[in-house]
Amino acid sequence: MVTLSFPSPSLSFVESGTCKSSNVSRVLFSGPDNGESSQPKILRDVHISERLMEEFTELARENTEKDLETCGTLAAFLERGVFYVTTLIIPKQESTANSCQAMNEVDVFAIQNERELYPVGWIHTHPSQGCFMSSVDLHTHYSYQVMVPEAFAIVVAPTDSSRSYGIFKLTNPGGMEVLRGCSETGFHPHKEPEDGNPVYEHCSNVYKNSNLRFEIFDLR
């Protein structure tokens, strides 16, 4: 079912059924940093609909064809120790080929607060670049992960032949400490964490759930 409401456009996709284990699969990626997680404590699992990511990619298509990034916030509810991503909010934004700045973020907070949701991450495109986290992306993501340890970043890279998307987080404590101590802005190199781990890594606690209901608010 697809519904459209105004004045704030909201697409609501409802997939019937309950969250059965047969409809849940771990999101795994291959890559040099896809080993054991550096996380020193157990993180809550996060469930997300793969269709949500596909719908975001489609909504970003016009920008992607113009070589402009698109970004959105991912919000979830917490039930029995598991985060379920139910809402994607695409705010008003200013974009370039390698950056995306959200505007009027009070509108994003209002939607989250109204539904009592947690900001568990964000999603953005790399229209003509590979699937990785830039230094600017890392600083953006730090603001999420410092609030919610389970927060993750999805990078959608349609031109990357090796992988079209990735789900990442800062390593903890290494990557978090590096970003906490960095005051630089713009694109810049980061030092290696003292614990020997990379600054960021693939998430191992995120699962695709084909039975999740979700909403998309496109506020652009």
Side-chain angles (χ1 to χ4, degrees):
M1 179 175 67
V2 181
T3 62
L4 182 63
S5 62
F6 293 92
S8 297
S10 170
L11 291 175
S12 178
F13 297 88
V14 180
E15 299 177 357
S16 61
T18 56
C19 297
K20 299 178 181 178
S21 59
S22 60
N23 297 302
V24 179
S25 61
R26 187 187 294 263
V27 180
L28 293 176
F29 301 91
S30 61
D33 55 340
N34 191 29
E36 292 297 319
S37 172
S38 66
Q39 201 70 29
K41 64 177 182 179
I42 301 300
L43 293 175
R44 297 182 179 95
D45 287 340
V46 181
H47 288 208
I48 187 171
S49 171
E50 189 169 24
R51 185 176 176 186
L52 183 152
M53 294 186 283
E54 294 170 350
E55 294 295 337
F56 170 79
T57 302
E58 183 60 32
L59 288 170
R61 182 181 301 278
E62 183 176 348
N63 274 358
T64 299
E65 292 174 348
K66 297 176 182 177
D67 197 21
L68 296 173
E69 287 194 3
T70 306
C71 64
T73 295
L74 299 168
F77 71 89
L78 180 62
E79 182 176 288
R80 297 180 181 179
V82 177
F83 281 113
Y84 295 94
V85 178
T86 56
T87 306
L88 163 64
I89 309 167
I90 305 176
K92 292 184 182 296
Q93 51 198 262
E94 293 182 347
S95 302
T96 69
N98 52 28
S99 67
C100 186
Q101 179 63 50
M103 304 170 63
N104 297 350
E105 291 182 287
V106 64
D107 296 334
V108 176
F109 300 146
I111 293 172
Q112 292 175 163
N113 292 339
E114 180 182 346
R115 288 161 175 74
E116 299 182 345
L117 301 174
Y118 292 85
V120 295
W122 62 301
I123 182 170
H124 76 291
T125 56
H126 279 185
S128 57
Q129 302 183 68
C131 188
F132 70 100
M133 292 281 279
S134 71
S135 58
V136 173
D137 295 340
L138 295 176
H139 279 273
T140 298
H141 185 66
Y142 174 79
S143 64
Y144 284 91
Q145 197 169 324
V146 75
M147 293 189 297
V148 181
E150 290 82 4
F152 59 96
I154 302 178
V155 178
V156 179
T159 62
D160 190 325
S161 59
S162 62
R163 55 186 179 188
S164 59
Y165 68 91
I167 302 182
F168 307 105
K169 66 180 178 66
L170 293 168
T171 57
N172 191 13
M176 291 293 288
E177 291 179 350
V178 169
L179 270 296
R180 185 180 297 115
C182 180
S183 59
E184 292 189 55
T185 59
F187 295 99
H188 57 277
H190 284 111
K191 65 179 182 180
E192 293 296 319
E194 294 182 358
D195 60 9
N197 285 305
V199 174
Y200 71 96
E201 63 187 356
H202 294 292
C203 290
S204 59
N205 63 313
V206 178
Y207 294 80
K208 293 183 294 185
N209 188 327
S210 63
N211 280 329
L212 273 182
R213 304 171 65 182
F214 63 89
E215 294 178 295
I216 300 177
F217 291 86
D218 192 342
L219 307 180
R220 293 174 293 175

